[in-house]
Amino acid sequence: MPRYLTMVRIDENNAPEGGPSPELMQRMGDLIEEMTKAGVLLDTAGLTPTAEGTRVRWNGGELTVTDGPFTESKEVVGGYAIIQAKDKAEALEWAKRFLQVHEAEWDVTSEVREIVAG
């Protein structure tokens, strides 16, 4: 079965004050449990804010290292999940369900991409 990486993108500057509500965390936990029992979820985690991150870039034969925060970033990867699904349509359904556990004030995008077997 193919594996998919779902990258959860958020705008750190416009995320709800105080982060996820306890109710959101409960709904997210319930969905993660369901996905785990279904054998779909292989791994998932949230990521620290970009202020705590570092970018390493190779450009023009030179390596640069830049500590966050990254002011030019509007939308950043805030978390991820690796899922195993029968096809892309199933992976998209799980991604949609994950987004729908969020309250209306959240602006969240999930990018779903198949992992190339190698």
Side-chain angles (χ1 to χ4, degrees), residues 12 47-55 67-71 73 76-77:
E12 287 183 317
L47 301 174
T48 59
T50 59
E52 298 175 31
T54 302
R55 287 186 178 162
D67 290 329
F70 311 113
T71 55
S73 296
V76 299
V77 177

Side-chain angles (χ1 to χ4, degrees), residues 3 11 21 54 103 112 117:
R3 295 175 301 147
D11 180 347
S21 68
T54 302
E103 291 95 358
V112 179

Side-chain angles (χ1 to χ4, degrees), residues 5 13 22 25 33 42 47-48 51 55 60 65 74-75 80 84 104 107-108 116 118:
L5 173 66
N13 299 317
M25 294 304 292
E33 183 178 340
L42 301 178
L47 301 174
T48 59
R55 287 186 178 162
V65 178
K74 177 172 171 43
E75 195 177 69
Y80 72 93
Q84 185 169 282
D107 183 1
V108 187
V116 178

